[in-house]
């Protein structure tokens, strides 16, 4: 919802979130493999859960980036007034 006080140059943080999720996915996958090789199944499972969560986040963010920008009204459209109660 547009409130009218957004900066004119506001940008989406999706690309930063994508790369941070990729970083987490790489480290969690490496942790899963290394803890499995070290015989620590609990830590390997914990890293595996984090890796799955990071992979889901990467997929969601990639989908949002692929959708592209959504329609935003221009400067000539006044902001929405909040409901007065």
């Amino acid at each position: 919802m547009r409130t009218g006080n957004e900066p004119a140059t506001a940008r989406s943080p999706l690309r930063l979130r994508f790369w941070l999720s990729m970083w987490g996915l790489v480290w969690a996958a490496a942790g899963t493999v290394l803890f499995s090789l070290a015989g620590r199944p609990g830590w390997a499972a914990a890293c595996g859960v984090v890796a799955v969560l990071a992979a889901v986040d990467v997929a969601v963010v990639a989908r949002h980036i692929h959708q592209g920008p959504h329609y935003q009204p221009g400067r000539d459209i006044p902001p929405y007034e909040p409901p007065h109660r």
Side-chain angles (χ1 to χ4, degrees):
M1 177 200 253
R2 184 171 177 265
T3 61
N5 61 355
E6 300 91 0
T9 58
R11 297 178 59 190
S12 172
L14 284 176
R15 294 198 191 283
L16 175 64
R17 183 174 157 195
F18 175 80
W19 289 111
L20 287 174
S21 295
M22 287 297 292
W23 180 256
L25 178 61
V26 167
W27 278 102
T32 302
V33 170
L34 293 175
F35 280 123
S36 294
L37 294 175
R40 304 287 231 158
W43 284 103
C47 286
V49 168
V50 171
V52 168
L53 290 175
V56 168
D57 193 42
V58 166
V60 168
V61 172
R63 180 175 178 267
H64 286 181
I65 289 172
H66 181 71
Q67 285 178 339
H70 297 285
Y71 169 75
Q72 294 292 317
R75 292 177 187 255
D76 56 332
I77 306 296
Y80 299 114
E81 289 295 322
H84 299 288
R85 295 180 185 204

